[in-house]
């Protein structure tokens, strides 16, 4: 009996489930510092410190999130390396790339979905457009002269941009500019280096909008955001096919034992019940998920892969 219990609670390295964690946990955010992932991951890490112990955050940006994701996929499955992944890293990049350094199903297991988020169409105030219809018309009338920034090729932001081109009839008239992260794209938008971008909604983005430094035309959520109710949805703007829900969550290397994944998930559920953490996320235009689990989150990823595969194929979205 004792041998059976030991077998159930052991994982690589000879430690037991009761010992975890015995040292700081690394959370890899696969984007440059200052992007939306930072606000999500660091808030979670701060709250978890009192529940599970110290968690340090490492920003490993590049390739739209693929670089940091690959690092975690190749890390030891011992619970000490986690990925803050999203629809781009776990769905869009694998589906749109012929060569990826990781597979979302083979190399990862889902732990907990932290938040759902929305994207926004954003322009420099100097661009003479006030809504999505005017943006589409302006792009048509200025072929090849309008560019938009995203955090990388094959990201959800890029997918929505391609969908915008097709829906507005501007398939060849708008230029995609991939960045290493949205912080750099936002700086270039504010300075006028690029006229538009498709970005994850964040408190910083809303503040810049309200300060008149950029203009948010519409959000891709089905409903207006409680934190920014003045911004219409793409459905209200007459482009319902652009609706898109993003998410961020925790992933561990595939061989990470059940005991460690379940402990991370249960502790995260406790953290997500904290009203202060919920308000932190809601104030940034995000909705916290207080009812996630490894199984629920894993099914979500698998369903998204099946749902988006034909769409990506139909628009010819490719990273390579």
């Amino acid at each position: 009996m004792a041998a059976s219990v030991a077998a159930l609670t052991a994982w690589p390295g000879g430690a037991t489930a009761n010992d975890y964690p015995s040292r700081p946990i690394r959370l890899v955010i696969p984007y440059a510092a200052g992007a939306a992932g930072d606000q999500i991951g660091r808030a979670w890490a701060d709250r978890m410190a009192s529940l599970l112990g110290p968690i340090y955050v490492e920003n490993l940006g590049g390739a739209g999130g693929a670089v940091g994701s690959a690092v975690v996929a190749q890390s030891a499955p011992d619970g000490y390396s986690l990925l803050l992944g999203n629809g781009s890293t776990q769905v869009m990049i694998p589906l749109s790339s012929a060569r990826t350094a990781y597979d979302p199903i083979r190399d990862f297991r889902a732990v907990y979905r932290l938040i759902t988020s929305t994207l926004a169409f954003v322009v420099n105030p100097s661009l003479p457009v006030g809504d999505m219809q005017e943006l589409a018309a302006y792009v048509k009338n200025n072929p090849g002269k309008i560019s938009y920034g995203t955090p990388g090729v094959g990201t959800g932001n890029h997918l929505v941009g391609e969908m915008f081109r097709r829906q507005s009839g501007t398939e060849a008239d708008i230029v995609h500019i991939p960045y290493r992260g949205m912080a750099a794209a936002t700086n270039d938008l504010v300075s006028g280096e690029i006229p538009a971008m498709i970005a994850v909604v964040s408190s910083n983005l809303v503040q810049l909008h309200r300060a008149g430094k950029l203009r948010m035309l519409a959000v891709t959520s089905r409903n207006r955001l409680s934190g920014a109710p003045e911004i219409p949805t793409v459905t209200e703007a007459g482009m319902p096919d652009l609706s898109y829900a993003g998410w961020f969550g925790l992933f561990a290397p595939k061989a990470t034992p059940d005991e460690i994944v379940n402990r991370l998930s249960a502790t995260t559920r406790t953290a997500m019940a904290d009203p202060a953490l919920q308000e932190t996320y809601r104030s940034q235009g995000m909705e916290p998920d207080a009812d996630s689990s490894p199984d629920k989150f894993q099914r979500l990823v698998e369903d998204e892969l099946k749902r988006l595969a034909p769409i990506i194929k139909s628009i010819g979205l490719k990273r390579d």
Side-chain angles (χ1 to χ4, degrees), residues 5-6 8-11 14-22 257-260 263:
V5 172
L8 286 172
T9 59
W11 70 77
T16 64
N18 291 333
D19 297 325
Y20 177 82
S22 60
D258 291 345
E259 293 82 6
I260 203 167
R263 183 165 188 194

Side-chain angles (χ1 to χ4, degrees), residues 34-141:
D38 252 19
Q39 300 166 15
I40 299 163
R42 291 180 186 276
W44 171 81
D46 289 345
R47 181 65 187 88
M48 289 286 284
S50 64
L51 300 172
L52 200 64
I55 296 173
Y56 71 93
V57 175
E58 184 175 358
N59 292 92
L60 292 176
V67 171
S69 299
V71 168
V72 176
Q74 297 161 12
S75 297
D78 56 8
Y80 291 99
S81 288
L82 302 176
L83 172 70
L84 183 70
N86 60 15
S88 292
T89 62
Q90 308 308 114
V91 179
M92 293 297 304
I93 290 174
L95 287 178
S96 60
S97 179
R99 298 184 302 275
T100 55
Y102 64 92
D103 181 278
I105 303 302
R106 181 195 65 217
D107 297 326
F108 287 103
R109 60 181 306 181
V111 177
Y112 197 102
R113 184 177 71 170
L114 296 177
I115 60 94
T116 55
S117 64
T118 186
L119 302 178
F121 283 81
V122 191
V123 299
N124 183 280
S126 65
L127 203 66
V129 300
D131 57 40
M132 292 296 293
Q133 298 297 334
E134 290 181 359
L135 177 61
Y138 189 84
V139 170
K140 289 179 183 178
N141 293 331

Side-chain angles (χ1 to χ4, degrees), residues 1-303:
M1 181 65 177
S4 298
V5 172
L8 286 172
T9 59
W11 70 77
T16 64
N18 291 333
D19 297 325
Y20 177 82
S22 60
R23 54 187 166 89
I25 297 168
R26 175 180 68 157
L27 175 68
V28 172
I29 297 178
Y31 299 104
D38 252 19
Q39 300 166 15
I40 299 163
R42 291 180 186 276
W44 171 81
D46 289 345
R47 181 65 187 88
M48 289 286 284
S50 64
L51 300 172
L52 200 64
I55 296 173
Y56 71 93
V57 175
E58 184 175 358
N59 292 92
L60 292 176
V67 171
S69 299
V71 168
V72 176
Q74 297 161 12
S75 297
D78 56 8
Y80 291 99
S81 288
L82 302 176
L83 172 70
L84 183 70
N86 60 15
S88 292
T89 62
Q90 308 308 114
V91 179
M92 293 297 304
I93 290 174
L95 287 178
S96 60
S97 179
R99 298 184 302 275
T100 55
Y102 64 92
D103 181 278
I105 303 302
R106 181 195 65 217
D107 297 326
F108 287 103
R109 60 181 306 181
V111 177
Y112 197 102
R113 184 177 71 170
L114 296 177
I115 60 94
T116 55
S117 64
T118 186
L119 302 178
F121 283 81
V122 191
V123 299
N124 183 280
S126 65
L127 203 66
V129 300
D131 57 40
M132 292 296 293
Q133 298 297 334
E134 290 181 359
L135 177 61
Y138 189 84
V139 170
K140 289 179 183 178
N141 293 331
N142 296 272
K145 296 182 180 180
I146 303 301
S147 59
Y148 72 98
T150 75
V153 175
T155 59
N157 312 55
H158 185 198
L159 172 64
V160 171
E162 291 297 310
M163 292 165 64
F164 169 73
R165 290 205 307 167
R166 292 174 68 88
Q167 184 165 334
S168 60
T170 59
E171 285 87 346
D173 297 339
I174 187 168
V175 180
H176 174 230
I177 300 180
Y179 283 78
R180 288 179 63 87
M182 287 315 304
T186 301
N187 289 337
D188 280 359
L189 181 71
V190 171
S191 67
E193 291 294 319
I194 57 173
M197 70 178 183
I198 300 174
V200 174
V201 173
S202 65
S203 58
N204 180 55
L205 202 69
V206 173
Q207 290 169 6
L208 290 171
H209 165 76
R210 289 174 174 166
K213 295 183 178 181
L214 51 76
R215 182 182 301 137
M216 297 173 66
L217 300 181
V219 293
T220 62
S221 54
R222 296 192 179 278
N223 300 308
R224 292 198 181 200
L225 303 178
S226 58
E230 71 274 20
I231 303 168
T233 67
V234 288
T235 298
E236 292 173 319
M239 297 184 173
D241 290 344
L242 299 184
S243 293
Y244 180 86
W247 45 261
F248 277 84
L250 306 171
F251 293 87
K254 185 68 172 184
T256 304
D258 291 345
E259 293 82 6
I260 203 167
V261 168
N262 290 337
R263 183 165 188 194
L264 283 165
S265 179
T267 308
T268 296
R269 178 185 286 267
T270 298
M272 296 300 289
D274 183 350
L277 182 58
Q278 292 182 1
E279 178 55 30
T280 294
Y281 289 141
R282 290 195 173 106
S283 68
Q284 299 172 38
M286 304 168 189
E287 187 61 32
D289 190 340
D291 190 33
S292 185
S293 70
D295 288 343
K296 283 184 180 179
F297 196 16
Q298 187 68 37
R299 285 196 301 270
L300 170 67
V301 173
E302 293 172 0
D303 289 347

